[in-house]
Amino acid sequence: DTEVTQTPKHLVMGMTNKKSLKCEQHMGHRAMYWYKQKAKKPPELMFVYSYEKLSINESVPSRFSPECPNSSLLNLHLHALQPEDSALYLCASSQVAGANYGYTFGSGTRLTVV
Amino acid sequence: QQQVKQSPQSLIVQKGGIPIINCAYENTAFDYFPWYQQFPGKGPALLIAIRPDVSEKKEGRFTISFNKSAKQFSLHIMDSQPGDSATYFCAARGSTLGRLYFGRGTQLTVWP
């Protein structure tokens, strides 16, 4: 299995809702990432998990809450989002170190906040 | 401060042409340089990647040229096809937890 699977593919939520994005990989990668991507822009790093521990938080607002329950799963919990948070949310995984630095992205969750 | 600078922002070529996308970086600690292809509504897909101890790498119609002394690298697409029309991002991997620094992207259009 060489994929990163993200669910749901599309999500519409109100500003008072609570929702979660899910990411799963079975490649044995011990680093997992959340990126946010706006239209016609490069992905922006949000969070990095290394060996299931949060290692990097790029000053992301607290309305985004990441969770890494095990080495294969990564969640992003959403609460009280703003319309400007509408974007494509990408999950990625990679080996932490070594010669193979393959960095695999999922297809993303298209989030619309209304 | 942008860690990886990419040009051009957009590129239009005819089928069979050889589009070239250029990237430059400053941080000599970067140790891995991938190129990603992204179609609308999809996540970025790894196209080809190179390490700084290699000057050129080919995979099918895609070639990376890497100039370590100039801190520049480029993507060449041979015999380009309309199906190559997409946004291309160069990136560089930092040594800290493998985080990637992306260029701003190049929107490539290949006319039939």
Side-chain angles (χ1 to χ4, degrees), chain A residues 23-70:
Chain A
C23 173
E24 192 167 3
Q25 59 89 14
H26 297 285
M27 294 177 282
H29 289 170
R30 302 306 295 274
M32 295 186 76
Y33 312 81
W34 281 114
Y35 281 83
K36 174 183 178 180
Q37 187 178 28
K38 291 279 208 179
K40 299 187 185 299
K41 298 291 186 183
E44 297 175 17
L45 183 66
M46 299 176 71
F47 303 103
V48 179
Y49 273 84
S50 176
Y51 294 100
E52 296 87 68
K53 288 188 176 6
L54 182 63
S55 302
I56 295 177
N57 177 339
E58 288 289 293
S59 303
V60 179
S62 59
R63 58 186 184 268
F64 296 91
S65 175
E67 178 195 21
C68 189
N70 59 55

Side-chain angles (χ1 to χ4, degrees), chain A residues 4 8 14 30-31 42 95 99 104 106 114:
Chain A
V4 173
R30 302 306 295 274
Q95 292 189 4
T104 304
V114 297

Side-chain angles (χ1 to χ4, degrees), chain B residues 23 42 61 90 99:
Chain B
C23 288
K42 301 291 187 182
R61 296 185 293 109
C90 64
R99 63 174 297 171

Side-chain angles (χ1 to χ4, degrees), chain B residues 28-108:
Chain B
T28 55
F30 290 150
D31 61 359
Y32 171 76
F33 300 86
W35 285 89
Y36 287 88
Q37 179 189 57
Q38 187 174 26
F39 294 104
K42 301 291 187 182
L46 179 64
L47 197 59
I48 186 172
I50 197 167
R51 294 174 62 94
D53 52 350
V54 176
S55 61
E56 185 177 276
K57 183 175 181 180
K58 291 183 181 181
E59 285 187 5
R61 296 185 293 109
F62 301 94
T63 299
I64 300 178
S65 297
F66 191 88
N67 186 328
K68 188 175 180 178
S69 61
K71 291 184 281 189
Q72 295 175 347
F73 58 110
S74 60
L75 176 70
H76 298 60
I77 305 176
M78 310 302 288
D79 187 27
S80 58
Q81 301 296 313
D84 297 329
S85 298
T87 299
Y88 292 81
F89 293 99
C90 64
R93 175 176 159 133
S95 56
T96 303
L97 293 170
R99 63 174 297 171
L100 284 183
Y101 296 88
F102 285 89
R104 294 196 175 189
T106 296
Q107 188 165 349
L108 172 66

